[in-house]
Amino acid sequence: MKSLSICVILLLSYFCMVVSGCIKDEYFRTRPRICKNTAVAYKVHKTDVIACPGGWFGHISNSDLCGTGYHLCTKDDKDKYLSKINYDHASKICGCYAFNAAHDFGQCIDCENKLHHDDLGGIGTTCPRKTKRQRTSCINGGTIDAAPNVNSSNNNKGCRYHKGISGVICCKD
């Protein structure tokens, strides 16, 4: 079942590339695996950040998709990695990949299931909300949210996996 899910995610990502004209030249096979579930990874333009496909149950901190030498990106990775990701490039990456941080109060903060801490950060064409030139972001030049709506904490969905998420963003150790 796990392999079928990964195949579906990769097929959907490929379909997204063909239909939307999103960036497609950054997919590559890795040895050893950077992503635990697959040998295919997506390098985020000119960074040491990798998008790994897959799902998880519950809060994003429960995801276990990043392989050896990488970890799930968090607010602590803003200065070294996340702020190097440009909004214009991030909004053209196929799919919707989440990282464990929220954009609120003009800063990059811990993602928690409570009001004003629940806007799960992400990158990708299919992420539900994108706002260019917003300064309350973990990435540079705008915000991209993987959260299903602006008040995700109201329905206990803040910072959690949902069917619109393609995977996670992994930062180099």
Side-chain angles (χ1 to χ4, degrees):
M1 186 66 172
K2 193 182 227 182
S3 296
L4 179 61
S5 296
I6 292 168
C7 288
V8 169
I9 289 168
L10 292 175
L11 284 173
L12 288 174
S13 294
Y14 179 75
F15 178 73
C16 174
M17 287 187 282
V18 172
V19 172
S20 69
C22 59
I23 300 167
K24 58 186 173 200
D25 59 349
E26 302 284 334
Y27 278 103
F28 65 99
R29 295 184 71 73
T30 63
R31 293 204 196 281
R33 290 183 175 189
I34 292 173
C35 302
K36 282 189 178 178
N37 293 341
T38 179
V40 177
Y42 188 95
K43 182 167 177 55
V44 179
H45 188 65
K46 298 181 182 178
T47 66
D48 285 324
V49 176
I50 301 294
C52 289
W56 64 92
F57 293 102
H59 191 276
I60 188 169
S61 61
N62 295 335
S63 69
D64 189 24
L65 301 173
C66 304
T68 303
Y70 284 79
H71 63 273
L72 176 65
C73 297
T74 69
K75 70 170 178 75
D76 296 332
D77 294 303
K78 180 184 180 197
D79 292 337
K80 188 171 183 180
Y81 294 115
L82 297 175
S83 65
K84 310 285 189 283
I85 300 171
N86 179 283
Y87 172 88
D88 290 329
H89 187 86
S91 62
K92 294 177 185 166
I93 291 172
C94 299
C96 180
Y97 295 88
F99 52 88
N100 189 8
H103 330 272
D104 277 308
F105 304 112
Q107 55 190 332
C108 184
I109 59 178
D110 287 322
C111 198
E112 302 175 88
N113 190 42
K114 62 184 183 181
L115 189 61
H116 303 300
H117 289 82
D118 62 342
D119 295 338
L120 179 63
I123 62 171
T125 58
T126 61
C127 288
R129 295 190 328 270
K130 298 178 204 67
T131 307
K132 192 170 183 170
R133 294 186 186 92
Q134 189 169 348
R135 295 177 187 234
T136 63
S137 185
C138 301
I139 65 171
N140 184 18
T143 62
I144 301 175
D145 291 340
N149 59 56
V150 73
N151 292 318
S152 297
S153 64
N154 290 348
N155 56 14
N156 201 28
K157 300 289 184 193
C159 312
R160 296 181 173 276
Y161 178 79
H162 61 85
K163 64 182 177 182
I165 295 178
S166 307
V168 298
I169 299 297
C170 303
C171 291
K172 193 168 188 172
D173 288 342

